[in-house]
Amino acid sequence: GFSKPYSKKIDQLSKIRLSSELSRKIDYFLSNGIKVLFILKHPYLRNDYIQYSASSCSYRPFRLSEKKCSFRKKELIDKRLFEYRNTIKKICLQYSPQQVDIFDEMPLFCDNLNCNIEFNEHNLYYDEFHVNIFGSLYIGKKLLNKIEEMLKNK
C-alpha cells in the first residue's frame, strides 16, 4: 500500500476559510494594481484510492507489462480535488476576468474521459506528483501564451 496524504475531504469550514483568505489576498493585490492569475495544477497520478506510475508510460526495450499512458479521469480526480478546484473557480468568478484569471493545467492533460501521461510520445511526468522537463516545457508554452494574452488585454 501507500500512504494517504490527501485523505481529509474539504469540509464546509475549510471552504469558508479558503474563500475568505484568498479573497482577502486577491483584494490586496488588486488594490495595488496587480492582476491575479490562479494556476490550477495538472492531475496527480496518485490519490487516496489509486496510484499510477509515471514510468508505466516510459519506453522499455523489454517490457513485461503493457505500456499504459492514459487513465480514466474519474479515477484521478477524487472528491477532494474536485471540491478544491470548484472552490477556487467560484472565488475567481466573483471578480472580472480583467482582474482575476485562471490558468487550468487539467485540460492540457485530460479530455472529458481520460488523462494522459505523455504528449507527442514524450512522458510528461517525473513521478506521481511532478512533471519532468518535457511536462514543464509543455505547460510553460501554454502558460506563456496565457500571460501574453493577459498583458494584451490590460
Side-chain angles (χ1 to χ4, degrees):
F2 54 91
S3 63
K4 295 183 176 186
Y6 303 110
S7 58
K8 285 186 174 179
K9 74 175 206 176
I10 297 179
D11 60 25
Q12 194 59 35
L13 183 58
S14 296
K15 285 186 206 176
I16 292 168
R17 283 188 189 136
L18 176 65
S19 296
S20 173
E21 284 301 308
L22 283 179
S23 294
R24 190 173 64 78
K25 294 206 183 321
I26 290 170
D27 291 340
Y28 170 80
F29 286 121
L30 294 177
S31 70
N32 286 288
I34 300 169
K35 185 172 178 173
V36 176
L37 177 64
F38 272 96
I39 299 175
L40 294 176
K41 300 299 289 170
H42 56 276
Y44 293 152
L45 300 180
R46 176 179 179 178
N47 61 30
D48 287 345
Y49 311 104
I50 200 155
Q51 177 179 0
Y52 295 114
S53 171
S55 65
S56 67
C57 188
S58 299
Y59 170 76
R60 301 246 195 281
F62 301 103
R63 178 178 287 281
L64 297 177
S65 60
E66 178 185 346
K67 183 178 174 184
K68 188 157 174 73
C69 297
S70 69
F71 302 95
R72 304 275 304 159
K73 184 177 181 179
K74 68 181 181 180
E75 293 174 340
L76 293 174
I77 312 304
D78 61 9
K79 185 174 180 174
R80 183 174 192 275
L81 179 60
F82 181 80
E83 288 177 0
Y84 172 78
R85 292 172 61 79
N86 279 347
T87 300
I88 296 295
K89 288 177 181 180
K90 285 178 187 174
I91 293 165
C92 292
L93 287 174
Q94 296 171 8
Y95 301 88
S96 76
Q98 291 74 31
Q99 296 174 309
V100 178
D101 208 343
I102 296 174
F103 177 75
D104 190 354
E105 295 178 5
M106 189 75 68
L108 302 178
F109 291 79
C110 305
D111 58 25
N112 288 335
L113 298 175
N114 297 304
C115 295
N116 297 300
I117 290 177
E118 71 174 7
F119 179 75
N120 287 342
E121 298 187 26
H122 288 287
N123 190 330
L124 300 173
Y125 285 85
Y126 174 76
D127 61 23
E128 289 81 9
F129 300 108
H130 304 96
V131 293
N132 61 22
I133 189 70
F134 295 110
S136 296
L137 290 171
Y138 176 62
I139 294 168
K141 287 176 186 176
K142 305 289 184 178
L143 179 58
L144 182 60
N145 291 339
K146 180 70 168 181
I147 292 170
E148 288 173 344
E149 177 188 313
M150 287 173 61
L151 292 173
K152 277 190 230 172
N153 297 329
K154 205 170 185 188

PDB file of all heavy atoms in Angstrom, residues 2-20:
ATOM      1  N   PHE A   2       0.181   2.361  -0.003  1.00  0.00           N
ATOM      2  CA  PHE A   2       0.865   3.641   0.048  1.00  0.00           C
ATOM      3  C   PHE A   2       0.127   4.545   1.012  1.00  0.00           C
ATOM      4  O   PHE A   2      -1.030   4.331   1.337  1.00  0.00           O
ATOM      5  CB  PHE A   2       0.970   4.275  -1.351  1.00  0.00           C
ATOM      6  CG  PHE A   2      -0.353   4.411  -2.069  1.00  0.00           C
ATOM      7  CD1 PHE A   2      -1.114   5.548  -1.949  1.00  0.00           C
ATOM      8  CD2 PHE A   2      -0.817   3.370  -2.872  1.00  0.00           C
ATOM      9  CE1 PHE A   2      -2.330   5.670  -2.606  1.00  0.00           C
ATOM     10  CE2 PHE A   2      -2.033   3.489  -3.532  1.00  0.00           C
ATOM     11  CZ  PHE A   2      -2.783   4.632  -3.401  1.00  0.00           C
ATOM     12  N   SER A   3       0.829   5.569   1.491  1.00  0.00           N
ATOM     13  CA  SER A   3       0.204   6.470   2.457  1.00  0.00           C
ATOM     14  C   SER A   3      -0.891   7.279   1.778  1.00  0.00           C
ATOM     15  O   SER A   3      -0.910   7.422   0.570  1.00  0.00           O
ATOM     16  CB  SER A   3       1.251   7.402   3.063  1.00  0.00           C
ATOM     17  OG  SER A   3       1.801   8.228   2.059  1.00  0.00           O
ATOM     18  N   LYS A   4      -1.773   7.809   2.564  1.00  0.00           N
ATOM     19  CA  LYS A   4      -2.887   8.588   2.048  1.00  0.00           C
ATOM     20  C   LYS A   4      -2.698  10.058   2.428  1.00  0.00           C
ATOM     21  O   LYS A   4      -3.278  10.524   3.409  1.00  0.00           O
ATOM     22  CB  LYS A   4      -4.209   8.065   2.605  1.00  0.00           C
ATOM     23  CG  LYS A   4      -4.532   6.663   2.139  1.00  0.00           C
ATOM     24  CD  LYS A   4      -5.882   6.250   2.657  1.00  0.00           C
ATOM     25  CE  LYS A   4      -6.261   4.888   2.115  1.00  0.00           C
ATOM     26  NZ  LYS A   4      -7.597   4.501   2.478  1.00  0.00           N
ATOM     27  N   PRO A   5      -1.908  10.811   1.642  1.00  0.00           N
ATOM     28  CA  PRO A   5      -1.631  12.194   2.003  1.00  0.00           C
ATOM     29  C   PRO A   5      -2.841  13.109   1.853  1.00  0.00           C
ATOM     30  O   PRO A   5      -2.862  14.188   2.410  1.00  0.00           O
ATOM     31  CB  PRO A   5      -0.518  12.597   1.030  1.00  0.00           C
ATOM     32  CG  PRO A   5      -0.718  11.707  -0.146  1.00  0.00           C
ATOM     33  CD  PRO A   5      -1.252  10.415   0.416  1.00  0.00           C
ATOM     34  N   TYR A   6      -3.850  12.703   1.098  1.00  0.00           N
ATOM     35  CA  TYR A   6      -4.995  13.564   0.837  1.00  0.00           C
ATOM     36  C   TYR A   6      -6.286  12.955   1.369  1.00  0.00           C
ATOM     37  O   TYR A   6      -7.325  13.099   0.782  1.00  0.00           O
ATOM     38  CB  TYR A   6      -5.112  13.822  -0.663  1.00  0.00           C
ATOM     39  CG  TYR A   6      -3.866  14.418  -1.216  1.00  0.00           C
ATOM     40  CD1 TYR A   6      -3.032  13.701  -2.050  1.00  0.00           C
ATOM     41  CD2 TYR A   6      -3.489  15.705  -0.855  1.00  0.00           C
ATOM     42  CE1 TYR A   6      -1.868  14.249  -2.538  1.00  0.00           C
ATOM     43  CE2 TYR A   6      -2.323  16.260  -1.335  1.00  0.00           C
ATOM     44  CZ  TYR A   6      -1.526  15.531  -2.176  1.00  0.00           C
ATOM     45  OH  TYR A   6      -0.380  16.074  -2.646  1.00  0.00           O
ATOM     46  N   SER A   7      -6.207  12.271   2.501  1.00  0.00           N
ATOM     47  CA  SER A   7      -7.372  11.541   2.967  1.00  0.00           C
ATOM     48  C   SER A   7      -8.449  12.437   3.572  1.00  0.00           C
ATOM     49  O   SER A   7      -9.578  12.021   3.688  1.00  0.00           O
ATOM     50  CB  SER A   7      -6.964  10.467   3.977  1.00  0.00           C
ATOM     51  OG  SER A   7      -6.291  11.050   5.058  1.00  0.00           O
ATOM     52  N   LYS A   8      -8.101  13.654   3.963  1.00  0.00           N
ATOM     53  CA  LYS A   8      -9.125  14.537   4.511  1.00  0.00           C
ATOM     54  C   LYS A   8      -9.914  15.180   3.376  1.00  0.00           C
ATOM     55  O   LYS A   8      -9.337  15.725   2.456  1.00  0.00           O
ATOM     56  CB  LYS A   8      -8.483  15.657   5.333  1.00  0.00           C
ATOM     57  CG  LYS A   8      -7.983  15.249   6.669  1.00  0.00           C
ATOM     58  CD  LYS A   8      -7.527  16.488   7.397  1.00  0.00           C
ATOM     59  CE  LYS A   8      -7.131  16.173   8.808  1.00  0.00           C
ATOM     60  NZ  LYS A   8      -6.678  17.368   9.507  1.00  0.00           N
ATOM     61  N   LYS A   9     -11.229  15.114   3.463  1.00  0.00           N
ATOM     62  CA  LYS A   9     -12.014  15.826   2.464  1.00  0.00           C
ATOM     63  C   LYS A   9     -12.158  17.279   2.913  1.00  0.00           C
ATOM     64  O   LYS A   9     -11.972  17.599   4.088  1.00  0.00           O
ATOM     65  CB  LYS A   9     -13.368  15.173   2.237  1.00  0.00           C
ATOM     66  CG  LYS A   9     -14.382  15.369   3.319  1.00  0.00           C
ATOM     67  CD  LYS A   9     -15.702  14.761   2.902  1.00  0.00           C
ATOM     68  CE  LYS A   9     -16.795  15.488   3.632  1.00  0.00           C
ATOM     69  NZ  LYS A   9     -18.113  15.092   3.282  1.00  0.00           N
ATOM     70  N   ILE A  10     -12.460  18.143   1.995  1.00  0.00           N
ATOM     71  CA  ILE A  10     -12.608  19.557   2.331  1.00  0.00           C
ATOM     72  C   ILE A  10     -13.978  19.745   2.969  1.00  0.00           C
ATOM     73  O   ILE A  10     -15.002  19.544   2.323  1.00  0.00           O
ATOM     74  CB  ILE A  10     -12.454  20.438   1.074  1.00  0.00           C
ATOM     75  CG1 ILE A  10     -11.057  20.287   0.503  1.00  0.00           C
ATOM     76  CG2 ILE A  10     -12.743  21.891   1.407  1.00  0.00           C
ATOM     77  CD1 ILE A  10     -10.805  21.096  -0.746  1.00  0.00           C
ATOM     78  N   ASP A  11     -13.996  20.146   4.229  1.00  0.00           N
ATOM     79  CA  ASP A  11     -15.268  20.383   4.893  1.00  0.00           C
ATOM     80  C   ASP A  11     -15.722  21.825   4.643  1.00  0.00           C
ATOM     81  O   ASP A  11     -14.991  22.640   4.082  1.00  0.00           O
ATOM     82  CB  ASP A  11     -15.173  20.066   6.391  1.00  0.00           C
ATOM     83  CG  ASP A  11     -14.136  20.911   7.111  1.00  0.00           C
ATOM     84  OD1 ASP A  11     -13.808  22.023   6.655  1.00  0.00           O
ATOM     85  OD2 ASP A  11     -13.653  20.453   8.158  1.00  0.00           O
ATOM     86  N   GLN A  12     -16.923  22.128   5.047  1.00  0.00           N
ATOM     87  CA  GLN A  12     -17.509  23.441   4.782  1.00  0.00           C
ATOM     88  C   GLN A  12     -16.698  24.560   5.435  1.00  0.00           C
ATOM     89  O   GLN A  12     -16.475  25.604   4.831  1.00  0.00           O
ATOM     90  CB  GLN A  12     -18.973  23.466   5.274  1.00  0.00           C
ATOM     91  CG  GLN A  12     -19.759  24.641   4.760  1.00  0.00           C
ATOM     92  CD  GLN A  12     -19.832  24.702   3.242  1.00  0.00           C
ATOM     93  OE1 GLN A  12     -19.894  23.680   2.569  1.00  0.00           O
ATOM     94  NE2 GLN A  12     -19.829  25.887   2.684  1.00  0.00           N
ATOM     95  N   LEU A  13     -16.222  24.357   6.658  1.00  0.00           N
ATOM     96  CA  LEU A  13     -15.436  25.373   7.348  1.00  0.00           C
ATOM     97  C   LEU A  13     -14.130  25.648   6.596  1.00  0.00           C
ATOM     98  O   LEU A  13     -13.722  26.805   6.442  1.00  0.00           O
ATOM     99  CB  LEU A  13     -15.142  24.943   8.786  1.00  0.00           C
ATOM    100  CG  LEU A  13     -14.380  25.943   9.652  1.00  0.00           C
ATOM    101  CD1 LEU A  13     -15.129  27.277   9.737  1.00  0.00           C
ATOM    102  CD2 LEU A  13     -14.168  25.369  11.041  1.00  0.00           C
ATOM    103  N   SER A  14     -13.499  24.608   6.083  1.00  0.00           N
ATOM    104  CA  SER A  14     -12.265  24.789   5.310  1.00  0.00           C
ATOM    105  C   SER A  14     -12.536  25.581   4.035  1.00  0.00           C
ATOM    106  O   SER A  14     -11.730  26.420   3.637  1.00  0.00           O
ATOM    107  CB  SER A  14     -11.651  23.434   4.945  1.00  0.00           C
ATOM    108  OG  SER A  14     -11.256  22.746   6.102  1.00  0.00           O
ATOM    109  N   LYS A  15     -13.666  25.317   3.386  1.00  0.00           N
ATOM    110  CA  LYS A  15     -14.018  26.059   2.174  1.00  0.00           C
ATOM    111  C   LYS A  15     -14.218  27.535   2.493  1.00  0.00           C
ATOM    112  O   LYS A  15     -13.773  28.401   1.747  1.00  0.00           O
ATOM    113  CB  LYS A  15     -15.302  25.499   1.549  1.00  0.00           C
ATOM    114  CG  LYS A  15     -15.123  24.202   0.827  1.00  0.00           C
ATOM    115  CD  LYS A  15     -16.428  23.843   0.146  1.00  0.00           C
ATOM    116  CE  LYS A  15     -16.553  22.372  -0.050  1.00  0.00           C
ATOM    117  NZ  LYS A  15     -17.833  21.987  -0.619  1.00  0.00           N
ATOM    118  N   ILE A  16     -14.888  27.804   3.617  1.00  0.00           N
ATOM    119  CA  ILE A  16     -15.129  29.192   4.023  1.00  0.00           C
ATOM    120  C   ILE A  16     -13.807  29.895   4.323  1.00  0.00           C
ATOM    121  O   ILE A  16     -13.577  31.026   3.893  1.00  0.00           O
ATOM    122  CB  ILE A  16     -16.083  29.244   5.240  1.00  0.00           C
ATOM    123  CG1 ILE A  16     -17.480  28.780   4.812  1.00  0.00           C
ATOM    124  CG2 ILE A  16     -16.127  30.646   5.847  1.00  0.00           C
ATOM    125  CD1 ILE A  16     -18.433  28.522   5.962  1.00  0.00           C
ATOM    126  N   ARG A  17     -12.924  29.217   5.050  1.00  0.00           N
ATOM    127  CA  ARG A  17     -11.605  29.804   5.354  1.00  0.00           C
ATOM    128  C   ARG A  17     -10.813  30.051   4.074  1.00  0.00           C
ATOM    129  O   ARG A  17     -10.192  31.091   3.911  1.00  0.00           O
ATOM    130  CB  ARG A  17     -10.815  28.879   6.268  1.00  0.00           C
ATOM    131  CG  ARG A  17     -11.252  28.926   7.697  1.00  0.00           C
ATOM    132  CD  ARG A  17     -10.288  28.123   8.562  1.00  0.00           C
ATOM    133  NE  ARG A  17     -10.820  28.005   9.901  1.00  0.00           N
ATOM    134  CZ  ARG A  17     -10.829  26.894  10.604  1.00  0.00           C
ATOM    135  NH1 ARG A  17     -10.317  25.785  10.110  1.00  0.00           N
ATOM    136  NH2 ARG A  17     -11.330  26.862  11.821  1.00  0.00           N
ATOM    137  N   LEU A  18     -10.804  29.073   3.190  1.00  0.00           N
ATOM    138  CA  LEU A  18     -10.089  29.205   1.928  1.00  0.00           C
ATOM    139  C   LEU A  18     -10.640  30.390   1.138  1.00  0.00           C
ATOM    140  O   LEU A  18      -9.878  31.237   0.658  1.00  0.00           O
ATOM    141  CB  LEU A  18     -10.202  27.913   1.101  1.00  0.00           C
ATOM    142  CG  LEU A  18      -9.581  27.932  -0.286  1.00  0.00           C
ATOM    143  CD1 LEU A  18      -8.068  28.094  -0.203  1.00  0.00           C
ATOM    144  CD2 LEU A  18      -9.930  26.649  -1.033  1.00  0.00           C
ATOM    145  N   SER A  19     -11.947  30.465   1.015  1.00  0.00           N
ATOM    146  CA  SER A  19     -12.581  31.562   0.278  1.00  0.00           C
ATOM    147  C   SER A  19     -12.243  32.910   0.896  1.00  0.00           C
ATOM    148  O   SER A  19     -11.884  33.855   0.190  1.00  0.00           O
ATOM    149  CB  SER A  19     -14.095  31.385   0.246  1.00  0.00           C
ATOM    150  OG  SER A  19     -14.448  30.230  -0.454  1.00  0.00           O
ATOM    151  N   SER A  20     -12.332  32.999   2.198  1.00  0.00           N
ATOM    152  CA  SER A  20     -12.061  34.249   2.906  1.00  0.00           C
ATOM    153  C   SER A  20     -10.618  34.696   2.735  1.00  0.00           C
ATOM    154  O   SER A  20     -10.339  35.855   2.411  1.00  0.00           O
ATOM    155  CB  SER A  20     -12.395  34.067   4.387  1.00  0.00           C
ATOM    156  OG  SER A  20     -11.998  35.200   5.116  1.00  0.00           O
TER     157      SER A  20
END
